[in-house]
Amino acid sequence: MPKGLAGLEAFSLQSPVLGGTEVANRVNLHKTTGSRILNGLSETSYIRRDGQTGRFRVGLGPIRPPGPLLADLDVRPCWPCAAGAARPARC
């Protein structure tokens, strides 16, 4: 699992699309190991592979694990705060 997470973290805003060799090099893995990790990540939609170029980008999979946690968070402001009033002691 740590290698899979490292493979996922190889992607960045500056490098949103990477080839398999690029990912392997960024996380210091042999190309074969990198390829296995990328295939596993793509099967679970953590990354997706472009059918034309064969390059990878982050998929929607990373959104799923925090879903239950995020569903329980109440991030809406209370009514007085939303209306622009001074923040009450307990919001």
Side-chain angles (χ1 to χ4, degrees), residues 4 6-27 30-60 62:
L8 189 60
E9 290 175 350
F11 297 89
S12 67
L13 290 175
Q14 294 77 24
S15 303
V17 180
L18 297 170
T21 302
E22 292 171 294
V23 172
N25 288 340
R26 285 176 182 233
V27 296
H30 188 273
K31 266 179 19 176
T32 306
T33 305
S35 179
R36 275 197 316 263
I37 288 169
L38 290 172
N39 286 331
L41 289 171
S42 65
E43 287 174 6
T44 56
S45 42
Y46 278 82
I47 61 169
R48 56 190 172 105
R49 186 179 206 151
D50 184 294
Q52 293 180 344
T53 66
R55 293 168 62 86
F56 298 91
R57 69 173 50 244
V58 175
L60 295 176

Side-chain angles (χ1 to χ4, degrees), residues 46 60-73:
Y46 278 82
L60 295 176
I63 296 172
R64 280 193 312 248
L69 169 68
L70 295 175
D72 287 340
L73 292 178

